[in-house]
């Protein structure tokens, strides 16, 4: 069943349409949520909850528009709320971060391309952790989902000013957090930065303070 | 695409695919949740929002903007939104008190907008307006404090740039609104008026990480003090005393503390192998959004200091005004211990499946 057929069935109240959507979108939705909530079980819960909400609110969906962005908005918003609530109230949060860092470093489970890629991923994962959930979400939309600023604004989840402001702050924060490894041509060094010789980088995981 | 952007994109892809391998959707669970939701959906009180849809409504909105000013209207709107999102029962019952106390520092106006208190919670809504560029720092140091002249402390449990992202509105001027949540170490006595002091420390231009020119960071040199008096509302305590055993492990729902700001369930149990791990019960949401009693997330509790072996859960939203029977299901308990690399990190070591299902009654009021 294609996406349009699934939407039609859902609008007719046929839960079979939801099964088709789950097959199409579940993994992607879970991955998007995972990057924001940083816990696989929670991410699965967000993805499942988002599909349930699709079933409930499909009546308000304009079938002439693509389903993906509408669904992404639900997933991202739920993930932000979940992460915000959890980070406000939860004491035991870091276990799954450790799990991922371990798997990234494990040749059996980590990325097979190169050790450098694994290291870069570890650094980005740790940097992402230091952003508030809403900023994390714009990073995921922009860099993981490849959405343009206009597309993010078009989701209508936040005002244009809020999207721009969050993206701007997230970029700056990431840029600072990922120095010196990620220093790019657009981001010249400042006097405040400690000079580090190429090839003599300390262990980034040991260097960074993660709470 | 810049090299940096490419590398971040690629790193996120690697993290996502490593953390969540390609997996089939758990269709039976999704279907059951969807159908359960449809069966149990009930009419829930909708949050009232002023959204003008008619010409007269638009004219009224325009009049409000003229009367109160665009920026002030926006900021107040955000505070209402925040109360709706994070303390909806308080908002719906109109229990927070409008204070509107303003102080201006260096052209930046800090406003204590609304506040709410009950025996276990103090919630303060404030806004900041008139700043220029906050793109890489928060306009406060993140240290907001509540006191009441007693010996008791008020623990800052959220808001102010910690966890929840402050709401920025860059249209019609830069403004920020936030709710700060506090928990008193000693229960407050219900009363018609209780005196509080809210302190907020502005963040000078170069507070975070030094100035753009590399100059040293300046210390914040002024603390704003707002004194205010508001009622302290009662908290319902529902004594449950219900013990359920699963997998050889009994867990007791001691009580539920139910206030408009927060519903907290207290669960107690003897952890298995308590010398090895810290055990935490996990409570996933039992149903779906429109009829949610607890959460759309898994809940992890933090042990209340005064009750050894007990865990208190902030439920996803308050059920203060929802009389009737409610259920709470612990699906598993998780054993965690500090990471060898970083003792501050608690690493998941073991899971034991339940379920442990409890019922309790929220009385009519």
């Amino acid at each position: 069943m294609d996406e349009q057929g699934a939407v039609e069935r859902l609008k007719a109240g046929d839960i079979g349409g939801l099964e088709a959507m789950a097959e199409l979108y579940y993994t992607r939705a879970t991955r998007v949520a995972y990057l924001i909530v940083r816990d696989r079980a929670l991410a699965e819960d967000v993805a499942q909850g988002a599909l349930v909400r699709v079933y409930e609110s499909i009546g308000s969906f304009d079938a002439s528009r693509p389903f993906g962005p509408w669904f992404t908005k639900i997933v991202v918003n739920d993930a932000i709320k979940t992460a915000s609530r959890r980070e406000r109230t939860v004491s035991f949060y870091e276990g799954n971060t450790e799990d991922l860092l371990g798997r990234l470093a494990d040749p059996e489970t980590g990325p097979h391309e190169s050790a450098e890629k694994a290291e870069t991923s570890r650094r980005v994962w740790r940097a992402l952790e230091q952003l508030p959930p809403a900023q994390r979400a714009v990073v995921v939309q922009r860099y993981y989902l490849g959405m343009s600023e206009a597309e993010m604004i078009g989701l209508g989840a936040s005002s244009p000013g809020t999207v721009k402001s969050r993206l701007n702050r997230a970029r700056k924060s990431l840029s600072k957090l990922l120095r010196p490894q990620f220093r790019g041509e657009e981001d010249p060094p400042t006097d405040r930065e400690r000079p580090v010789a190429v090839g003599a980088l300390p262990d980034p995981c040991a260097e960074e303070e993660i709470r | 695409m810049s090299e940096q952007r490419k590398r971040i994109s690629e790193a996120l892809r690697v993290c996502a695919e490593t953390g969540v391998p390609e997996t089939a959707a758990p269709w039976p669970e999704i279907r059951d949740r969807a159908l359960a939701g449809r069966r149990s959906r009930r009419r829930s009180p909708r949050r009232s929002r002023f959204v003008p849809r008619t010409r007269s409504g638009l004219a009224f909105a325009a009049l409000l903007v003229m009367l109160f000013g665009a920026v002030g209207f926006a900021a107040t709107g955000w505070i209402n939104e925040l109360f709706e999102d994070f303390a909806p029962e308080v908002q719906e019952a109109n229990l927070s008190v409008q204070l509107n106390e303003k102080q201006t520092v260096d052209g930046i106006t800090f406003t204590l907008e609304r506040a709410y208190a009950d025996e276990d919670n103090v919630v303060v809504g404030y806004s900041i307006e008139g700043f220029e560029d906050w793109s890489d720092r928060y306009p406060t140091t993140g240290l907001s404090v509540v006191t009441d002249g007693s010996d008791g402390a008020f623990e800052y449990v959220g808001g102010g740039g910690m966890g929840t992202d402050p709401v920025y509105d860059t249209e019609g001027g830069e403004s920020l609104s936030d709710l700060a949540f506090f928990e008193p170490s000693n229960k407050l006595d219900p009363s018609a008026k209780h005196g509080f002091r809210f302190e907020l420390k502005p963040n000078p231009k170069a507070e975070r990480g030094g100035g753009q020119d590399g100059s040293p960071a300046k210390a914040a040199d002024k603390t704003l003090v707002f004194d205010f008096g508001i009622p302290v509302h009662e908290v319902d305590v529902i004594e449950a005393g219900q013990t359920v055993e699963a997998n050889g492990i009994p867990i007791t729902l001691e009580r539920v503390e139910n206030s408009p700001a927060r519903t907290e369930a207290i669960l107690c149990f003897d952890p298995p192998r308590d010398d090895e791990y810290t055990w935490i019960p996990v409570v996933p949401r039992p149903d779906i959004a429109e009829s949610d009693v607890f959460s759309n997330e898994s809940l992890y509790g933090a042990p209340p200091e005064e009750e050894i072996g007990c865990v208190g859960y902030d439920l996803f939203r308050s059920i203060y005004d929802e009389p009737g029977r409610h259920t709470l299901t612990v699906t598993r308990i998780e054993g965690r211990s500090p990471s060898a690399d970083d003792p501050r990190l608690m690493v998941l070591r073991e899971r034991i499946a339940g379920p442990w299902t409890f019922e309790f009654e929220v009385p009519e009021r």
Side-chain angles (χ1 to χ4, degrees):
Chain A
M1 190 189 313
D2 65 6
E3 187 175 298
Q4 195 175 353
V7 169
E8 285 169 8
R9 284 181 65 175
L10 272 169
K11 278 189 171 284
D14 179 356
I15 198 165
L18 189 65
E19 184 173 11
M21 287 305 190
E23 284 172 13
L24 287 170
Y25 283 100
Y26 183 73
T27 299
R28 181 170 179 263
T30 307
R31 285 174 176 169
V32 167
Y34 177 70
L35 292 172
I36 299 169
V37 303
R38 306 172 67 77
D39 177 299
R40 183 169 172 188
L42 269 186
E44 288 178 1
D45 198 44
V46 167
Q48 291 174 29
L51 284 162
V52 172
R53 286 180 56 180
V54 164
Y55 183 57
E56 294 209 321
S57 55
I58 193 69
S60 65
F61 172 62
D62 177 357
S64 67
R65 302 173 78 96
F67 175 81
W70 184 68
F71 182 56
T72 298
K73 177 172 131 179
I74 294 173
V75 173
V76 168
N77 282 347
D78 284 358
I80 292 172
K81 280 189 181 175
T82 298
S84 298
R85 170 61 63 169
R86 192 172 184 212
E87 288 170 34
R88 190 172 75 77
T89 58
V90 170
S91 300
F92 298 88
Y93 187 56
E94 309 295 349
N96 289 295
T97 290
E98 186 90 340
D99 291 346
L100 179 77
L101 293 175
R103 269 179 287 150
L104 284 171
D106 184 345
E108 292 293 315
T109 56
H112 301 297
E113 294 91 334
S114 70
E116 186 195 347
K117 200 162 274 184
E119 180 54 29
T120 302
S121 301
R122 286 161 61 97
R123 289 184 67 91
V124 169
W125 180 253
R126 282 179 177 270
L128 209 56
E129 182 174 38
Q130 298 190 36
L131 304 183
Q135 281 187 42
R136 220 179 284 151
V138 295
V139 170
V140 170
Q141 288 172 283
R142 184 83 174 109
Y143 297 108
Y144 177 65
L145 295 172
M147 296 172 73
S148 67
E149 217 170 276
E151 286 170 327
M152 291 162 67
I153 291 166
L155 289 182
S158 304
S159 73
T162 301
V163 170
K164 283 172 186 288
S165 169
R166 281 182 181 157
L167 193 54
N168 189 31
R169 279 182 290 134
R171 277 187 186 130
K172 287 188 177 182
S173 300
L174 269 187
S175 184
K176 282 179 189 168
L177 290 166
L178 293 172
R179 285 171 181 157
Q181 184 182 353
F182 270 45
R183 176 177 297 142
E185 58 285 353
E186 59 205 289
D187 186 19
T190 68
D191 294 339
R192 290 180 57 77
E193 289 178 3
R194 177 165 49 94
V196 178
V198 174
L201 287 173
D203 173 8
C205 298
E207 179 190 44
E208 290 174 0
E209 292 285 312
I210 309 292
R211 285 181 194 280
Chain B
M1 187 189 285
S2 74
E3 184 60 26
Q4 177 168 320
R5 185 177 161 190
K6 272 189 209 164
R7 293 171 75 182
I8 294 174
S9 297
E10 180 62 13
L12 290 176
R13 182 192 66 75
V14 167
C15 289
E17 292 177 6
T18 307
V20 183
E22 188 75 42
T23 179
W27 172 240
E29 288 176 33
I30 297 169
R31 181 195 58 215
D32 290 350
R33 281 175 70 170
L35 293 175
R38 183 149 287 191
R39 277 195 299 271
S40 66
R41 193 188 316 168
R42 55 187 161 67
R43 217 157 14 127
S44 59
R46 300 307 303 166
R47 297 167 187 165
S48 59
R49 289 172 190 247
F50 176 63
V51 181
R53 293 193 175 87
T54 62
R55 286 188 180 188
S56 57
L58 285 167
F60 181 56
L63 181 62
L64 284 174
V65 170
M66 287 167 63
L67 284 173
F68 298 109
V71 173
F73 184 71
T76 302
W78 280 118
I79 287 292
N80 288 334
E81 292 272 328
L82 289 171
F83 266 105
E84 285 185 7
D85 281 347
F86 293 100
E89 298 273 340
V90 173
Q91 181 73 356
E92 280 169 16
N94 201 23
L95 295 175
S96 65
V97 177
Q98 181 84 45
L99 298 163
N100 209 30
E101 298 286 337
K102 292 179 185 292
Q103 293 189 38
T104 300
V105 179
D106 295 336
I108 301 170
T109 301
F110 298 77
T111 305
L112 170 60
E113 299 223 16
R114 308 181 73 87
Y116 162 84
D118 61 42
E119 294 173 70
D120 294 333
N121 304 278
V122 179
V123 184
V124 177
Y126 65 93
S127 64
I128 306 169
E129 298 166 61
F131 47 85
E132 292 170 0
D133 176 17
W134 301 97
S135 56
D136 61 352
R137 68 205 161 87
Y138 292 112
T140 73
T141 57
L143 297 171
S144 49
V145 175
V146 159
T147 53
D148 68 347
S150 71
D151 293 337
F154 289 77
E155 186 191 358
Y156 178 63
V157 293
M162 287 180 62
T164 54
D165 196 28
V167 176
Y168 284 81
D169 174 20
T170 53
E171 294 170 313
E174 296 277 4
S175 67
L176 176 151
S177 302
D178 195 18
L179 292 189
F181 288 74
F182 300 88
E183 286 178 20
S185 57
N186 305 320
K187 273 184 183 290
L188 300 174
D189 292 328
S191 66
K193 193 165 187 177
H194 189 99
F196 293 99
R197 170 168 288 185
F198 178 60
E199 295 178 13
L200 200 58
K201 217 167 173 57
N203 202 355
K205 189 78 178 169
E207 179 71 10
R208 262 182 191 234
Q212 296 293 316
D213 59 355
S215 60
K218 284 194 295 186
D221 55 2
K222 185 169 177 61
T223 297
L224 301 177
V225 175
F226 297 90
D227 290 321
F228 60 98
I230 56 173
V232 174
H233 297 271
E234 275 189 66
V235 170
D236 289 346
V237 177
I238 302 159
E239 297 291 352
Q242 200 178 127
T243 300
V244 175
E245 186 169 329
N247 238 327
I249 299 169
I251 298 181
T252 300
L253 173 64
E254 286 286 342
R255 65 185 184 278
V256 176
E257 298 189 359
N258 200 15
S259 91
R262 184 164 63 110
T263 298
E264 184 180 24
I266 310 295
L267 289 160
C268 301
F269 66 108
D270 288 327
R273 297 184 296 287
D274 55 356
D275 55 336
E276 287 184 52
Y277 306 145
T278 300
W279 288 91
I280 300 295
V282 178
V283 185
R285 198 188 86 154
D287 46 24
I288 51 88
E290 287 301 311
S291 60
D292 62 341
V293 173
F294 295 110
S295 171
N296 62 357
E297 62 190 297
S298 297
L299 293 164
Y300 294 71
E305 285 177 12
E306 73 276 14
E307 292 182 271
I308 304 300
C310 296
V311 177
Y313 287 85
D314 279 350
L315 305 186
F316 186 64
R317 64 185 177 81
S318 165
I319 51 171
Y320 183 75
D321 205 20
E322 296 183 23
R325 289 203 80 70
H326 296 279
T327 60
L328 172 76
T329 299
V330 176
T331 55
R332 64 181 188 272
I333 59 175
E334 293 186 348
R336 292 168 181 251
S337 67
S339 157
D341 294 337
D342 184 345
R344 291 170 304 177
L345 302 182
M346 296 296 284
V347 180
L348 176 62
R349 306 292 187 186
E350 188 179 343
R351 285 179 166 149
I352 298 176
W356 297 261
T357 300
F358 306 94
E359 286 196 343
F360 62 94
E361 184 99 18
V362 173
E364 294 275 355
R365 67 189 63 258

